[in-house]
Amino acid sequence: MEEIKNAYETVFILSSKLDEQATAALVTKFKDLIAENGTVDGVDEWGKRRLAYEINKETEGYYVLINFTSVPAFTAELDRIYKITDGVIRSLIIRKEA
């Protein structure tokens, strides 16, 4: 029996202290991770934006939005990886309604 797959979107903010190569490497890392466990429907890199409030003494961050489809169990693992990855300031995963 095939597992049920849901549509999700995730936004993560990377530290503005990272250089361009490190930022690109992290974006690629997360895209590849999602692709291994589901399908990437779209990637939208918003670039550097001012944060609404200071986080860890930083006022800017690099925003990335990824739309993807996967099994529900993967989102918990993705969230865990966001939390242990240096350079990720904030992250959010939301299930989209059909």
Side-chain angles (χ1 to χ4, degrees):
M1 187 168 119
E2 188 176 322
E3 283 194 73
I4 298 171
K5 293 191 175 192
N6 295 320
Y8 295 94
E9 69 179 23
T10 181
V11 176
F12 54 92
I13 306 171
L14 300 175
S15 173
S16 61
K17 293 176 183 172
L18 298 172
D19 62 5
E20 286 183 32
Q21 286 181 320
T23 301
L26 280 177
V27 171
T28 303
K29 171 188 171 177
F30 290 125
K31 274 195 290 191
D32 292 346
L33 179 67
I34 292 168
E36 287 172 18
N37 294 282
T39 56
V40 175
D41 301 326
V43 178
D44 190 9
E45 293 188 36
W46 296 345
K48 269 193 182 171
R49 299 269 174 108
R50 186 162 189 76
L51 300 174
Y53 53 89
E54 194 174 283
I55 303 171
N56 300 334
K57 298 182 180 174
E58 294 193 42
T59 57
E60 283 189 333
Y62 190 87
Y63 286 70
V64 180
L65 167 75
I66 300 177
N67 291 297
F68 66 99
T69 307
S70 77
V71 295
F74 170 65
T75 58
E77 177 64 11
L78 181 60
D79 193 43
R80 185 189 74 79
I81 292 169
Y82 281 149
K83 288 178 180 164
I84 63 172
T85 303
D86 289 337
V88 176
I89 300 174
R90 286 283 191 272
S91 63
L92 179 67
I93 303 170
I94 299 174
R95 190 180 108 201
K96 295 162 86 176
E97 295 301 318

